[in-house]
Amino acid sequence: MHTPTESPDATGAGAHDLRHHGDAEVRGRDRDLTDLAVNVRAGTPPAWLRERIAGSLGSLAAYPDGRPARAAVADRHGLPVERVLLTAGAAEAFVLIARALPVRRPVVIHPQFTEPEAALRAAGHKVDRVLLRAGDGFRLDPSAVPDDADLVVVGNPTNPTSVLHPAALVERLARPGRTLVVDEAFMDAVPGERETLCGRTDVPGLVVLRSLTKTWGLAGLRIGYVLADPGTVRALEETQPLWPVSAPALTAAEACMEPRALAEAAAAAERIAVDRAHLVAGLREFTEVRVAGPAEAPFVLVRLERAAEVRERLRLLGFAARRGDTFPGLGPEWLRLAVRDRATTNRFLQAFDQALQTLGTAVR
């Protein structure tokens, strides 16, 4: 398997808008669109979680105390608290990594969430890319990563490809003297969280990032965490401002580590798998639509001709889809679609059929 590498500094960083995210598709007058652009689970946060968060508002006069939430996260993953750092979403963690760790040659494996590279570039680093190929199913090739890379970033399951890499394959990226950052923001949407590296302390340089944004619908609250060796945690913590996570976010983190919350998340992951299979089956009925996969995350990546025109037609029909051309390694022929319930998916597939027929790009 040949996996190309490129330097965006040499080839032109402006070729991809690294700061474009799915929420841009549903802002302002577009808020009424059915949202398939953002990967937050619909119908969240649940009522019990909203109540817990609301109950924390009476303590806003006090400075946040992150110790109980940190302990809850540590207990959930079977780790000492010294290996846990709470952050204002996983996005903050990328900024901390870019600023706090001594890095000479960072490599980001694409296509994936663009914020890690954006944070590294903003911190003054020259970033090299390893581009996984659609023809190889966007599968990870550890041998493609340069030997002298001292920071490697990979998503698992990967946004936007929805590929779940085997943990044993991801582990092959680790070595002494290298920081291996694994973005597991969507791992709790995978049944059984198979292939997770959370809880592992035997992988050198491992840093695992988690987010509570996606499964629990807390994008507006900003809460995530880092799991790493104590030295790395201390370095990142020293770069954080004081009280980086708000009291309501800490309350949410603690609540989401409780047994009933973990059981609810596990059940949601099983439902997502069923709903995703329904979406993929419907998409595969279109002769000129290719679904990347196998998809394992709460979204799917599709390739089709005139995707930008299809996307605009879908907007007119009431649906927002995520453009793919802002992801390095992808182009204008890609769209990312969030998994929704069967009824929503059926309505979307009807609109998708109408959009394709109108543009004459496919025959059902």
Side-chain angles (χ1 to χ4, degrees):
M1 184 192 311
H2 173 67
T3 306
T5 60
E6 70 170 23
S7 169
D9 300 271
T11 61
H16 297 89
D17 181 0
L18 301 180
R19 293 294 190 182
H20 181 88
H21 300 301
D23 63 311
E25 312 289 347
V26 287
R27 289 176 179 165
R29 62 184 178 85
D30 295 323
R31 286 183 181 275
D32 292 335
L33 295 176
T34 298
D35 182 9
L36 275 69
V38 176
N39 294 321
V40 175
R41 184 165 64 102
T44 51
W48 66 266
L49 183 54
R50 292 198 303 270
E51 291 171 2
R52 288 284 290 274
I53 294 170
S56 72
L57 299 182
S59 64
L60 291 185
Y63 286 99
D65 181 0
R67 289 175 297 178
R70 189 176 184 182
V73 171
D75 183 65
R76 182 254 196 271
H77 292 292
L79 294 170
V81 293
E82 293 80 9
R83 298 185 71 96
V84 176
L85 180 68
L86 303 175
T87 59
E92 187 204 9
F94 293 126
V95 173
L96 297 177
I97 289 167
R99 294 179 178 178
L101 302 185
V103 179
R104 297 182 308 279
R105 189 179 183 187
V107 171
V108 179
I109 298 175
H110 286 288
Q112 77 148 334
F113 185 49
T114 54
E115 204 59 34
E117 181 175 323
L120 285 163
R121 289 178 55 80
H125 298 289
K126 178 180 178 180
V127 183
D128 287 333
R129 298 170 178 167
V130 170
L131 303 181
L132 305 184
R133 297 160 53 98
D136 297 325
F138 297 110
R139 293 192 300 274
L140 179 63
D141 178 10
S143 67
V145 176
D147 290 338
D148 62 345
D150 59 350
L151 175 71
V152 178
V153 184
V154 62
N156 202 33
T158 303
N159 172 22
T161 65
S162 200
V163 170
L164 180 66
H165 304 297
L169 200 60
V170 177
E171 284 182 60
R172 287 175 52 191
L173 294 169
R175 62 187 59 189
R178 172 184 289 176
T179 299
L180 172 60
V181 179
V182 184
D183 177 8
E184 292 192 1
F186 295 98
M187 188 63 79
D188 59 353
V190 176
E193 296 192 8
R194 65 188 191 280
E195 314 304 346
T196 182
L197 291 176
C198 284
R200 294 285 298 275
T201 60
D202 59 327
V203 180
L206 177 65
V207 177
V208 178
L209 308 185
R210 283 290 185 108
S211 171
L212 300 179
T213 294
K214 317 302 181 184
T215 288
W216 297 110
L218 298 174
L221 197 61
R222 312 309 305 142
I223 179 64
Y225 54 89
V226 176
L227 305 176
D229 69 84
T232 299
V233 167
R234 284 194 299 271
L236 300 181
E237 189 171 21
E238 289 171 359
T239 305
Q240 281 184 309
L242 291 174
W243 312 290
V245 182
S246 69
L250 293 171
T251 295
E254 191 172 0
C256 291
M257 298 300 116
E258 294 174 355
R260 73 165 181 175
L262 298 178
E264 182 175 326
E270 296 289 348
R271 288 195 302 273
I272 287 169
V274 173
D275 291 338
R276 182 180 59 243
H278 180 65
L279 172 60
V280 170
L283 290 168
R284 285 180 174 160
E285 293 186 22
F286 298 95
T287 59
E288 293 187 19
V289 175
R290 178 192 169 190
V291 182
E296 299 282 358
F299 47 86
V300 298
L301 183 67
V302 299
R303 185 175 191 170
L304 68 156
E305 296 179 8
R306 299 170 66 186
E309 295 173 69
V310 172
R311 175 173 157 271
E312 289 305 315
R313 186 64 185 172
L314 285 170
R315 296 179 76 81
L316 296 176
L317 296 170
F319 290 88
R322 172 64 159 90
R323 55 190 282 201
D325 61 343
T326 64
F327 294 99
L330 300 182
E333 70 276 17
W334 294 94
L335 295 176
R336 190 192 69 192
L337 305 170
V339 173
R340 298 296 185 233
D341 62 89
R342 181 177 290 254
T344 301
T345 293
N346 287 342
R347 291 192 297 107
F348 166 73
L349 290 171
Q350 291 175 350
F352 195 59
D353 191 10
Q354 183 177 343
L356 292 175
Q357 289 190 24
T358 300
L359 295 171
T361 58
V363 178
R364 223 173 149 181

